[in-house]
Structure formats: C-alpha cells, structure tokens
Amino acid sequence: MAPDIASLFGGSLLLAWQLKNKRVLIVGGGDVASGRIESVLVADALITLIAPRAGLHSLTKSFIETSDRITYYDRTFAGSSDLVGVDMVLTAIDDVESSREICNLCRTLKIPVNVADIPPSCDFYFGSQIRSGPLQIMISTNGQSPKLANIIRRRIENNLPDNVGEAIEKVGMLRSKLRERAPGVGGELGKRRMRWMVDVCTSWEMEELAMLDDEMMAQLLDDGWEHNAVPKPQELGAQSKPTRSVSTMSEKIPVNFLLPASAGFIAGAACVAFALLSRRS
Amino acid sequence: MAPDIASLFGGSLLLAWQLKNKRVLIVGGGDVASGRIESVLVADALITLIAPRAGLHSLTKSFIETSDRITYYDRTFAGSSDLVGVDMVLTAIDDVESSREICNLCRTLKIPVNVADIPPSCDFYFGSQIRSGPLQIMISTNGQSPKLANIIRRRIENNLPDNVGEAIEKVGMLRSKLRERAPGVGGELGKRRMRWMVDVCTSWEMEELAMLDDEMMAQLLDDGWEHNAVPKPQELGAQSKPTRSVSTMSEKIPVNFLLPASAGFIAGAACVAFALLSRRS
C-alpha cells in the first residue's frame, strides 16, 4: 500500500557513511571533538586534527597518543590550504566566525561539513548512537529533543540481547564461508544462498548464532546447506548444549514471568491453607 | 575513561543527512527505487526521477502522481548533463555498466552517490529504518547481515512506546515556546533552559508528554519554568487524569507481571485446597 504522501516530510535521510581510508579534518580538540574522533575512528578513517594543545580534552589527548590514524597539528585553522585532500570536515570550536568561514570554504569545495552547534552550517547531523561490534544504531529526533533521543537510546540498549554484536559477526562469517563454498554473483544460486541465510537467522536464536565457531559453521554448511536444510544447533552436536538450551529456554519463558508466577503460587497456597485450616479448628 | 582504541574499527559514520530543498537524482523506478523515493521525500528533498515508464513499480507510479516534489523523465540516464545542479545521486537499475558510469561521473563532480547492490560504488549505505513522526532510527550491521538488521528493527519497533513520535513532537513544541518566553543564545539562560527541558523529559512519562496541548504547555511554563520547578501532569489539572494515571501504573507494573502472578495464585490455591480437602475426606 502506498504511504500517505502528506506524512512524508520533516525528517532527514539516515545514512551509514563510508570513510575507510578517507581523510577527515577535525577542527577543535575539546569535549565534543573527542566524541567526533571516536565516531570517525570507528569508521576506519584517517584523521587530521587541528587544535591548540592548551584546549585539548583528556580523551582527545589519549586518542592522539594511542592512534596511528591521527595526524595532529598544535594550531588553529589556517585557511583553504588545510582542506587539500580532505573528504569530510567536522568542526567543534567556540569561534563562530571561524566556524562559518570553514563552512563556506567547504561548501565551495563541495566537502561535506558539520559545524557543531550551528545547524544551518551542517550538511548532516549526528544522532544518539549505540554500537556493539558490527551493529550500529542511530536515534534521531530531528533536533526536536536530544534528551528524549538519549532516553530512547538507553531503552533500546537495555532491550538488546547481550550478544547481539557477536551474533551479527558470526552470521557475517558464515555468509563469507557460504560464498566461498557456492561462489558467483546474482542468479538462482545467489537467491538460494540468500534464502538459506534468512532461514538460519530466523530459526536460530540470537545467542545460538553468537556461539557459532569454525567447526560448527563447517558442519552447518555440510549438514544444512548441502542438504537444503537448517539443522538446529542441538543437531550439530555442539559441545555446550546444556548451557545453550537453558539460555534458549530462559528467552522463551523470561525470568520476570517465572518469578511472579511462583510468588503467586505460594501466596495462593498460603491463603487457601490458612482459610481451610482455620475453618477446621 | 578512554575507549579501547583497538576496538574502534570496522564501522560506518552514521549520519542524519539534511536534504531540505536539495535536489536528489534517482535513476531507476523499480522496487528499490520506490523505497529510495519515500526516504528522500521524508527528508524534504526535490526529486528528479529518470526511468523508462515501462519499468515503473506501482509505488513509484503513485509517488509520481501524488507528489509535487518529483520531476519525472520517461527515459534512461543521458550523461553528465543529467547531473547539473544535483546534490545527491541514488541509482537502482540492473545495468551494471551504466551504474558504474554514473558513479564515476559523481565522483568527478564530488556528488555523494549510492549505487544499489554495488558497495564499492557507494559513498554511503542505507540501513534498516524505523520512523515515527520526528523520530528516526537506523539499524546497520555494516553489511554483515541485513536479515538480522531486520529482526533487530522489528524487536526495537515492538518495544517503542506507541506514542513516542507524538511525545517528541510535543517536547519540540514546548522547547520552541520556552525559547520564545526566554529568548537568547547560549550563556546562563541557555543552560537553565536546557536543564529545565531535561527535567521535564525525565520526570514525565512518554505518554504524559504525548498528551501535552497548548493549554497544558502554557500552564507548565507558568507554574514550572517561572518557578524553577517541574509540576507533575496531575498538578496541572489536566482533563484526562484518570486515563493517564492508569496507563502510567500499567507501565510500572507490566501486564506480563500481573498475569502470571494471578495465574500462580489460582494454581497455588487450587493445589492446597485439593490437598487439604482430600486429606479431610
């Protein structure tokens, strides 16, 4: 069904920007800049950091000391020569005039830019983020309420399975192994590969996927893919069956279900016992 | 504490790209393209759509018919002349050679580009997304498992409060009203405004925030902001107090706690009654 065209407005285009081996210029070294450095390092970028040493946040200092992907200059922004070969610019400085100058230069050179705290000078915003291994989640309220974005982020974080990042990593490895075993792009084989991977993801629990090791993956491909089936983890004779089946069960009957049920049982039993025994005497 | 530098790799930079009144070229009109059109309309962009009419998906057709922000050309991509004045390019066509040509032109012209199904030709990827009013959430597994991204998206969606989008909208309106009442950028006043908004967001439930109307907002600012306090919704004498207090309670004692407890009570009562009564006879 076509979505209501009148409801399609007021948002952003959420993207996962690719920065592997791209050069990102960060101007500023304070609190906000240190967060930017972390996000950009996660994305495998090379960083040029321009900020007077006196104003560096302790986290920024530690990033400069420990990462070999940061080239640091102890000075302020020097003009367009600082933008040569740069793929993205993030500024986080208090100097509004200098921020605007950097933004204008970037716009002329068509370099994507974010100027902290000056929305009109931003090609993109950052949202509240969660990361667990290869999993990344962004929550944006499109500037309406950063605090609610944070509250929602925590809520989502608390509801994610503990091992979600590991599960995704293992599924990624299984996919690579499957592509090695049954290579080729597109076509019927590609579709069959996709269907089988979907079947694995839907018939195994997240924590079962997280436990996949090399041996289990090989067996899953032998017993499963080759026979167009998806055996359960138990059928693969995995070592840690008992642990897994317990945790699988605890997912299906959550602890907060079992606890009140037994408390209720005891309360019910006590009440009736009391009523009947007191009638007797 | 500084994050472990060795763990900072393998991800993307998640962004909320701003497209208000920007021009986005979409090449292709099939299933994938129709999804792109929807996402780009949400971001308030102007769309140029190039695709032979014969291959249009029904959703794409309906977008062309109903949106005044789409300029449609019934033909294939015609070269660099199609890229004049374009701020972003998304292609979703089966022709790999043409896709690569478009990507190369975009790279030369420094126009951000996404070519569906050809990751090396993408400056950015799309993830699994949720939208509720001004709230947008993106889930990316960085290409490891689109299926798990979908499973996680559904899980998050099911756990979000029903009225989360409305709550964010209302808080955004309250913020604007507060800025009108106590205007000025930065400084002590800016900090006080921010603290008060945080207090409102943390001391009211999401569904209480969603119920804010013009009158309640005015009263909240009069009784709250002016006295440096955050009155509870009940203290504002809102009309629908009973509904609200019930639903607030049901948030604190969730239904899946009450149900098993009472089932347990009945089971316990029945067991003891049976035991005692059968001993009697």
Side-chain angles (χ1 to χ4, degrees):
Chain A
M1 213 192 67
D4 176 16
I5 197 89
S7 74
L8 304 179
F9 73 95
S12 313
L13 189 68
L14 301 202
L15 303 175
W17 201 266
Q18 301 307 300
L19 284 176
K20 197 175 171 81
N21 298 326
K22 300 272 177 181
R23 185 151 293 276
V24 177
L25 171 65
I26 298 180
V27 184
D31 184 19
V32 174
S34 71
R36 303 284 193 255
I37 295 172
E38 184 175 343
S39 304
V40 166
L41 284 176
V42 163
D44 293 330
L46 304 167
I47 296 177
T48 303
L49 178 64
I50 296 181
R53 190 173 293 274
L56 294 186
H57 187 272
S58 59
L59 257 181
T60 306
K61 277 186 205 158
S62 113
F63 282 130
I64 294 173
E65 282 157 18
T66 51
S67 171
D68 53 6
R69 288 190 278 136
I70 300 178
T71 310
Y72 170 59
Y73 297 98
D74 175 10
R75 59 171 173 84
T76 55
F77 181 75
S80 58
S81 60
D82 278 341
L83 298 175
V84 177
V86 166
D87 299 292
M88 175 176 272
V89 174
L90 313 174
T91 85
I93 51 178
D94 283 331
D95 185 338
V96 174
E97 208 171 312
S98 175
S99 293
R100 293 226 168 96
E101 183 207 339
I102 297 172
C103 172
N104 292 339
L105 285 170
C106 287
R107 295 270 158 92
T108 310
L109 295 165
K110 301 194 83 172
I111 303 172
V113 61
N114 173 285
V115 176
D117 290 332
I118 310 187
S121 297
C122 290
D123 293 325
F124 52 88
Y125 304 148
F126 295 96
S128 229
Q129 307 220 359
I130 298 171
R131 186 174 172 247
S132 171
L135 176 67
Q136 290 183 280
I137 299 175
M138 175 164 69
I139 298 103
S140 166
T141 61
N142 284 288
Q144 297 297 296
S145 175
K147 183 63 199 172
L148 285 186
N150 259 320
I151 290 175
I152 295 164
R153 178 183 58 72
R154 269 205 306 275
R155 199 168 172 144
I156 292 174
E157 210 162 25
N158 292 338
N159 275 316
L160 285 175
D162 287 338
N163 34 22
V164 63
E166 224 177 331
I168 293 167
E169 217 167 296
K170 296 299 176 62
V171 168
M173 287 163 69
L174 182 66
R175 268 178 99 198
S176 307
K177 283 174 196 283
L178 176 55
R179 265 194 299 254
E180 273 168 35
R181 190 179 280 232
V185 177
E188 268 315 305
L189 185 66
K191 278 184 201 155
R192 204 195 127 203
R193 269 200 318 252
M194 205 167 79
R195 270 197 309 270
W196 188 76
M197 283 304 308
V198 166
D199 286 348
V200 171
C201 289
T202 47
S203 57
W204 284 42
E205 299 288 337
M206 205 74 87
E207 51 211 6
E208 292 170 335
L209 293 168
M211 289 181 60
L212 277 168
D213 57 22
D214 279 349
E215 204 184 327
M216 283 173 78
M217 287 188 205
Q219 217 182 325
L220 183 54
L221 290 167
D222 286 343
D223 299 2
W225 168 257
E226 302 294 353
H227 299 86
N228 215 3
V230 178
K232 294 270 166 199
Q234 293 79 348
E235 297 173 51
L236 295 185
Q239 293 168 332
S240 27
K241 223 185 286 174
T243 326
R244 197 169 53 252
S245 50
V246 165
S247 53
T248 307
M249 182 188 143
S250 74
E251 232 197 17
K252 275 163 193 159
I253 307 179
V255 176
N256 68 349
F257 187 95
L258 291 173
L259 273 183
S262 15
F265 185 95
I266 293 166
C271 276
V272 167
F274 180 78
L276 288 177
L277 291 173
S278 52
R279 266 206 332 185
R280 257 187 184 178
S281 54
Chain B
M1 213 192 68
D4 176 16
I5 196 90
S7 74
L8 303 179
F9 72 97
S12 313
L13 189 67
L14 300 201
L15 303 175
W17 200 266
Q18 299 308 299
L19 284 177
K20 198 177 171 81
N21 299 325
K22 301 271 178 183
R23 184 150 293 275
V24 176
L25 170 67
I26 298 181
V27 184
D31 183 22
V32 174
S34 71
R36 302 285 193 257
I37 294 172
E38 184 175 344
S39 304
V40 166
L41 284 177
V42 163
D44 293 329
L46 304 168
I47 296 179
T48 303
L49 178 64
I50 295 180
R53 190 172 294 274
L56 294 186
H57 188 273
S58 59
L59 256 182
T60 306
K61 276 185 207 157
S62 115
F63 282 131
I64 294 173
E65 283 157 18
T66 51
S67 172
D68 52 6
R69 286 190 278 136
I70 301 179
T71 311
Y72 170 58
Y73 297 97
D74 173 12
R75 58 171 174 83
T76 56
F77 181 75
S80 57
S81 60
D82 277 342
L83 298 175
V84 176
V86 166
D87 299 293
M88 174 176 274
V89 173
L90 313 175
T91 86
I93 50 177
D94 282 334
D95 185 338
V96 174
E97 208 170 310
S98 175
S99 294
R100 292 225 168 96
E101 184 207 337
I102 297 172
C103 171
N104 291 340
L105 284 170
C106 288
R107 294 269 157 91
T108 309
L109 295 165
K110 302 194 84 173
I111 303 171
V113 60
N114 173 285
V115 177
D117 290 333
I118 310 186
S121 295
C122 291
D123 293 326
F124 53 88
Y125 303 148
F126 295 96
S128 231
Q129 308 219 0
I130 298 170
R131 184 170 174 248
S132 172
L135 176 67
Q136 290 183 280
I137 299 176
M138 174 165 70
I139 298 103
S140 167
T141 61
N142 284 288
Q144 297 296 294
S145 176
K147 184 63 199 173
L148 284 187
N150 259 321
I151 292 175
I152 295 164
R153 178 183 58 73
R154 268 205 306 275
R155 200 168 170 143
I156 292 174
E157 212 162 22
N158 293 339
N159 275 315
L160 285 175
D162 287 337
N163 35 21
V164 63
E166 222 177 333
I168 293 167
E169 216 167 298
K170 297 297 177 62
V171 167
M173 286 163 71
L174 183 65
R175 266 178 101 197
S176 306
K177 283 176 195 282
L178 176 55
R179 264 194 300 253
E180 271 168 37
R181 191 180 280 234
V185 177
E188 267 316 303
L189 185 67
K191 278 184 200 153
R192 207 196 126 202
R193 269 200 319 250
M194 204 166 81
R195 268 197 310 270
W196 189 76
M197 283 306 306
V198 166
D199 286 347
V200 171
C201 290
T202 47
S203 58
W204 284 41
E205 299 289 336
M206 205 75 85
E207 51 210 7
E208 292 170 336
L209 292 169
M211 290 181 58
L212 275 168
D213 56 22
D214 278 350
E215 202 184 328
M216 283 173 78
M217 286 189 205
Q219 215 183 327
L220 183 54
L221 290 168
D222 286 344
D223 298 2
W225 167 257
E226 302 295 352
H227 299 87
N228 216 1
V230 179
K232 293 274 166 196
Q234 293 79 350
E235 297 173 52
L236 294 185
Q239 294 167 331
S240 28
K241 224 184 285 174
T243 325
R244 198 166 53 252
S245 51
V246 166
S247 53
T248 308
M249 181 188 145
S250 75
E251 232 194 17
K252 272 161 196 160
I253 307 179
V255 175
N256 68 349
F257 187 92
L258 293 173
L259 272 184
S262 18
F265 186 95
I266 294 166
C271 275
V272 168
F274 181 78
L276 288 176
L277 292 172
S278 52
R279 263 204 336 184
R280 256 188 184 176
S281 54

